[in-house]
Amino acid sequence: MSFLRFASFALLALRALAEEPAEEVKQPSQTPNLAIKISTSFPASEIFGIKLINGQPTHAVLSISNEEPDPISVVFIGGSLWTSDYTSPSPRGPQIVRNLTTTKYDVEIPAGEKESIDYNFATELQPQELLLNLAVVVTDHEGSPYTLQAFNETVAVVEPDTSIFDPQIIFLYLFLLALFIGTCYFIYSTWISTLFPQKKRGGKDASRARASTRGAKKVDPADQVGVVGADGPAVTSEAGGEEGEEWNEAKE
């Protein structure tokens, strides 16, 4: 039950703290002035201001200094984003845009000591300038809860920077390259290739015939001897005639 009571108290306190962002927020009348100092820093912030990058955790460091004579305990840290008067003027004043994560802590800070506490949150909003309000719920040595404002300034919500080495970007480039190559091949095979005549290529039989023709030995016409036969003249070489004469002489 105490956890729910503290959580409800913290959310209501955060809303009350952000209703008057232009002025110093006053604690409720039942809340005494505690000797507690809180300073908030953002290690990843730039010199041009604090930026909340969508999809990436924002890291805040709260330095809480306890100047009370008794120890205190940090119970909750939470926040919210609000519209500012100059970015979204409204007769009803700033309007809440998003409640941030309320994180439960159990950190005790002794009297006269200082403690640094990390608080992380993330956003998924349209790029714009908003009012960031952070609050801390602490309890004294008697267990009474108190809400203290930790941060109340304008911040910028931005999109993350795109890198050429992002896997999604690399896949997109490869897909576009494949699409471009496929389109060029289709255009070439459909229209451009038809404008150039194709050379006729013979088969294997034609190649073999040309090879046998090149390898045949030509006969000199002077060495040819005419032979008359029944079917017409026949041609024999001179070497063949000499062999015939030698065969006849041997027979005689």
Side-chain angles (χ1 to χ4, degrees), residues 5 10 53 99 108-109 146 156 162 174:
R5 180 169 61 88
I53 303 177
N99 285 322
E108 182 177 340
I109 305 176
Y146 304 97
T162 303
L174 294 177

Side-chain angles (χ1 to χ4, degrees), residues 174-243:
L174 294 177
F175 175 77
L176 294 178
L177 179 61
L179 182 63
F180 175 75
I181 294 176
T183 303
C184 292
Y185 178 77
F186 176 77
I187 294 175
Y188 174 79
S189 60
T190 305
W191 289 289
I192 299 179
S193 61
T194 57
L195 301 178
F196 300 95
Q198 297 181 355
K199 297 181 179 180
K200 296 182 178 180
R201 297 180 179 179
K204 295 183 178 179
D205 296 338
S207 301
R208 293 176 180 176
R210 287 194 296 269
S212 61
T213 303
R214 289 194 298 267
K217 183 178 180 181
K218 295 183 178 180
V219 179
D220 189 358
D223 297 336
Q224 295 179 352
V225 178
V227 178
V228 178
D231 296 334
V235 179
T236 61
S237 62
E238 183 179 355
E242 293 177 353
E243 293 178 355

Side-chain angles (χ1 to χ4, degrees), residues 12-252:
L12 292 176
L14 291 174
R15 182 181 295 272
L17 288 174
E19 287 181 352
E20 297 180 359
E23 301 178 358
E24 184 179 357
V25 178
K26 298 180 179 180
Q27 300 296 332
S29 57
Q30 69 270 19
T31 303
N33 293 325
L34 300 176
I36 299 175
K37 295 182 180 180
I38 303 176
S39 62
T40 304
S41 62
F42 296 84
S45 62
E46 301 178 355
I47 59 176
F48 299 104
I50 301 173
K51 295 182 179 181
L52 309 182
I53 303 177
N54 284 329
Q56 298 182 8
T58 301
H59 179 59
V61 179
L62 283 69
S63 299
I64 304 174
S65 178
N66 180 20
E67 299 180 359
E68 288 285 316
D70 300 314
I72 62 173
S73 297
V74 178
V75 182
F76 292 105
I77 297 178
S80 57
L81 291 170
W82 297 71
T83 59
S84 56
D85 291 334
Y86 62 91
T87 57
S88 180
S90 174
R92 295 180 296 174
Q95 303 295 314
I96 188 170
V97 177
R98 178 72 55 84
N99 285 322
L100 302 178
T101 303
T102 301
T103 306
K104 185 180 184 299
Y105 295 86
D106 187 13
V107 179
E108 182 177 340
I109 305 176
E113 297 292 333
K114 184 178 181 180
E115 189 75 26
S116 296
I117 302 177
D118 296 333
Y119 175 67
N120 299 315
F121 62 92
T123 58
E124 285 291 346
L125 299 170
Q126 293 293 333
Q128 57 186 311
E129 289 189 347
L130 298 173
L131 191 68
L132 174 61
N133 183 270
L134 300 179
V136 181
V137 177
V138 301
T139 57
D140 57 13
H141 64 286
E142 296 179 353
S144 301
Y146 304 97
T147 302
L148 305 175
Q149 188 177 46
F151 188 81
N152 191 33
E153 295 182 12
T154 302
V155 297
V157 180
V158 298
E159 294 290 345
D161 296 333
T162 303
S163 174
I164 59 174
F165 298 103
D166 187 2
Q168 295 182 353
I169 299 299
I170 295 176
F171 177 78
L172 178 60
Y173 289 160
L174 294 177
F175 175 77
L176 294 178
L177 179 61
L179 182 63
F180 175 75
I181 294 176
T183 303
C184 292
Y185 178 77
F186 176 77
I187 294 175
Y188 174 79
S189 60
T190 305
W191 289 289
I192 299 179
S193 61
T194 57
L195 301 178
F196 300 95
Q198 297 181 355
K199 297 181 179 180
K200 296 182 178 180
R201 297 180 179 179
K204 295 183 178 179
D205 296 338
S207 301
R208 293 176 180 176
R210 287 194 296 269
S212 61
T213 303
R214 289 194 298 267
K217 183 178 180 181
K218 295 183 178 180
V219 179
D220 189 358
D223 297 336
Q224 295 179 352
V225 178
V227 178
V228 178
D231 296 334
V235 179
T236 61
S237 62
E238 183 179 355
E242 293 177 353
E243 293 178 355
E245 292 178 357
E246 294 177 354
W247 182 82
N248 293 330
E249 293 178 355
K251 185 176 180 182
E252 291 175 359

